[in-house]
Amino acid sequence: QLQVVESGGGLVEAGGSLRLSCTVSGLPFENYRMGWFRQAPGKEREGVSCISGGGNTYYADSVKGRFSISRDYAKSTLYLQMNTLKAEDTAMYYCAADRRVFLGAVCNSNSFDYWGRGTQVTVSS
């Protein structure tokens, strides 16, 4: 069975950085399109960044220039490097994977079937 496990969240001051990691097992890593989503209390889940099986990427306007998504095929691991963090980045961050590679870097939650349990990111101001 496919498993998605994310880690790396924590408490950081505004302007600081964090790197989130997500490990996928169960199928060849290159066969998945993947993404990072976040949800703050009282708000809808939003797509932060997604990456296709071939490496095409999407970034939400709110994180462009600050966040970077990447994947290490040898380690079957997805990363989200988050720089210049702001208080509004505070949320539970979820890693997601999907086998429908034809969807590319489409980054809405309805297009992903497999989800991690989440890792909390809190940015102090």
Side-chain angles (χ1 to χ4, degrees):
Q1 184 178 357
L2 187 144
Q3 297 181 66
V4 180
V5 181
E6 64 269 80
S7 62
L11 175 65
V12 64
E13 294 184 350
S17 299
L18 282 174
R19 188 179 72 162
L20 305 184
S21 300
C22 173
T23 299
V24 177
S25 61
L27 285 174
F29 187 62
E30 62 269 23
N31 290 346
Y32 291 90
R33 46 187 292 276
M34 301 190 69
W36 290 99
F37 296 80
R38 67 187 181 187
Q39 187 167 20
K43 301 188 71 175
E44 201 168 86
R45 183 168 53 186
E46 63 173 337
V48 176
S49 182
C50 293
I51 187 166
S52 73
N56 294 325
T57 59
Y58 162 88
Y59 294 95
D61 288 343
S62 60
V63 307
K64 285 181 179 177
R66 299 189 298 120
F67 291 10
S68 180
I69 191 170
S70 62
R71 57 197 302 168
D72 186 330
Y73 291 97
K75 297 181 178 180
S76 297
T77 301
L78 178 76
Y79 301 99
L80 183 68
Q81 179 66 48
M82 305 185 294
N83 298 322
T84 320
L85 283 161
K86 305 175 180 179
E88 52 261 45
D89 295 318
T90 295
M92 184 71 75
Y93 282 71
Y94 300 91
C95 179
D98 191 78
R99 293 189 290 176
R100 294 168 291 181
V101 296
F102 60 88
L103 292 175
V106 171
C107 204
N108 60 77
S109 59
N110 289 336
S111 67
F112 288 85
D113 286 337
Y114 304 97
W115 294 83
R117 301 291 290 272
T119 185
Q120 178 68 37
V121 172
T122 302
V123 183
S124 62
S125 59

